[in-house]
Amino acid sequence: MPHDKLFIPGPVEVSAKTWAAFTRPMIGHRSEAFRELYRSIHPRLQELFGTRQPVFLSTSSAWGVMEAAIRNLVRTRVLCCMCGAFSDKWLDVARRCGKEAEPLQVEWGRHIDPAALDLALASGRFDSVTLIHNETSTGVMNPLPAICAIARKYPEVALIVDSVSSFSAVPIAMDELGIDVLLTGSQKALALPPGFSLFSVSAKAFTRAAEQRDRGYYFDFLEFKKNQEADMTPTTPSIAHIHALQSKLDDIFTEGLASRHARHVRTNSLVHDWVRRRGFEFFAADGYRSISLTCVRNNRGIDVAALVKQLRAKHHLVIDGGYGKIKGQTFRLSNMGDETEKTVAHLLACLDDCLQ
């Protein structure tokens, strides 16, 4: 059967080189070979995260670490910045963890306003804030530096940031920005198979976690820290994912971070040019659009489901037909991970063919 290549915003296409790393011989997770593996990737992970803090490896989706951040950091009340399907879900997660959670809600397609965040935090009612940097469902990239500048005004507030679909596609300097938990998943801009996540935690967050009585075990930040100091993980990890991560880091640093970021800008610009040329509109406002994916507004009223089906049947390419309540009203095109101008141009040419 022909391979259907993914241009959905996660999971994204995984290269043959990355898949090959999954076939490396298994090693014991308490062996010296594993310690050497973790030690070999850790400095480069710190560079990617923009931190001097330890970087942890979690055998879970990013949602596991998102829930962990709630359990480890939220004392009483958390403010959830909500601008799409994934950021909206934070509220439910926090409440299921027994925390008092309140929304800072904006309409889907809009960004989180730093001034509104400032006003909410000035009330003194919140000890934590959750934010999704790049809202994958709507294609909105929130203004992270401006939001972090507001959060820094309130040192008693912990800032939790999900960078699942922006990590490694754009620079994020965790320490400089003052982020307390920065987390990401494997299956989006990192272009690894799903089922694995990475995160880093500030000194303030470790202190906060030590005060929490119900942080559990599997996602206990202090357990991660204790084990990382010995180049290990608290529980048995997906070692194959870590071999693949090592291979991917080789690719990233061979290309160079600046070049990787610039490539995502170029491929994103190709998609944006196509959207304008074909008479479509953007779901996200100018200045707040994702660099790693594009959420296209179906202002032309096309049959999105039929387009998705035809593109797959005729060209073996897969795009997303819109997420949640905007399914069919939008469609999403990903340029994240390993995609190049050549591969994105091919996608756009095939879309043109299907839209004739």
Side-chain angles (χ1 to χ4, degrees):
M1 293 292 292
H3 171 61
D4 294 329
K5 181 175 178 179
L6 300 180
F7 279 95
I8 59 175
V12 303
E13 195 71 11
V14 176
S15 71
K17 177 178 180 289
T18 299
W19 277 122
F22 271 75
T23 67
R24 293 179 190 171
M26 188 51 56
I27 58 177
H29 72 291
R30 298 299 185 222
S31 67
E32 183 57 31
F34 181 81
R35 293 185 176 93
E36 290 175 0
L37 175 61
Y38 201 161
R39 280 196 296 268
S40 73
I41 64 174
H42 192 255
R44 291 184 294 181
L45 290 176
Q46 288 177 304
E47 186 172 349
L48 270 182
F49 273 80
T51 187
R52 294 184 178 181
Q53 292 294 109
V55 176
F56 304 122
L57 311 175
S58 175
T59 302
S60 68
S61 71
W63 272 112
V65 182
M66 292 164 79
E67 179 169 325
I70 296 292
R71 294 176 65 87
N72 279 263
L73 266 66
V74 179
R75 289 172 175 149
T76 303
R77 187 178 292 108
V78 57
L79 180 67
C80 298
C81 298
M82 297 162 56
C83 60
F86 299 104
S87 52
D88 287 5
K89 195 172 181 179
W90 272 107
L91 190 74
D92 183 40
V93 171
R95 288 173 175 171
R96 291 193 192 196
C97 289
K99 309 299 182 181
E100 296 180 33
E102 295 185 17
L104 179 60
Q105 179 85 66
V106 299
E107 181 184 354
W108 282 28
R110 298 182 63 83
H111 66 282
I112 299 299
D113 182 3
L117 176 64
D118 195 7
L119 184 63
L121 294 183
S123 70
R125 301 176 61 247
F126 303 99
D127 58 70
S128 306
V129 172
T130 66
L131 174 77
I132 288 186
H133 177 211
N134 199 57
E135 176 51 72
T136 315
S137 67
T138 63
V140 169
M141 182 172 283
N142 283 304
L144 188 61
I147 289 172
C148 289
I150 295 299
R152 288 195 301 271
K153 293 172 56 179
Y154 305 93
E156 72 284 0
V157 175
L159 177 61
I160 304 164
V161 176
D162 167 325
S163 65
V164 170
S165 60
S166 59
F167 184 82
S168 83
V170 300
I172 303 175
M174 175 181 168
D175 289 355
E176 181 181 329
L177 291 170
I179 298 169
D180 292 302
V181 176
L182 180 63
L183 64 98
T184 192
S186 57
Q187 78 279 13
K188 299 206 177 187
L190 280 175
L192 295 168
F196 201 71
S197 52
L198 306 91
F199 67 104
S200 189
V201 177
S202 72
K204 180 174 84 176
F206 282 127
T207 300
R208 178 79 66 88
E211 301 169 354
Q212 300 291 98
R213 294 183 178 181
D214 60 350
R215 62 181 183 271
Y217 174 76
Y218 191 85
F219 293 113
D220 180 354
F221 287 173
L222 301 185
E223 287 289 340
F224 274 95
K225 184 174 187 291
K226 180 176 68 176
N227 279 270
Q228 188 279 328
E229 288 169 352
D231 301 308
M232 290 190 293
T233 55
T235 56
T236 309
S238 174
I239 294 170
H241 267 97
I242 303 173
H243 280 141
L245 175 60
Q246 183 184 48
S247 174
K248 180 57 63 178
L249 289 169
D250 289 342
D251 297 342
I252 290 172
F253 283 92
T254 296
E255 181 180 16
L257 289 182
S259 296
R260 181 179 179 82
H261 300 152
R263 173 169 57 80
H264 278 83
V265 170
R266 292 194 304 272
T267 53
N268 188 249
S269 295
L270 284 177
V271 178
H272 284 199
D273 290 344
W274 178 88
V275 170
R276 297 183 184 98
R277 176 168 56 83
R278 297 298 309 198
F280 288 107
E281 296 174 356
F282 299 96
F283 193 69
D286 188 23
Y288 301 98
R289 293 176 190 147
S290 169
I291 300 299
S292 59
L293 69 119
T294 302
C295 187
V296 184
R297 187 186 298 275
N298 184 20
N299 57 289
R300 288 178 48 185
I302 67 168
D303 187 335
V304 170
L307 173 64
V308 172
K309 184 177 181 179
Q310 184 182 10
L311 186 67
R312 186 170 198 158
K314 190 174 183 180
H315 296 288
H316 301 288
L317 302 176
V318 184
I319 62 171
D320 177 80
Y323 193 92
K325 67 183 183 182
I326 55 173
K327 186 177 183 65
Q329 301 172 38
T330 62
F331 57 94
R332 298 182 298 168
L333 309 175
S334 167
N335 63 286
M336 67 180 78
D338 298 329
E339 302 308 333
T340 64
E341 288 100 325
K342 182 178 180 180
T343 63
V344 171
H346 175 66
L347 166 67
L348 300 176
C350 292
L351 281 167
D352 281 336
D353 179 58
C354 292
L355 286 169
Q356 286 181 353

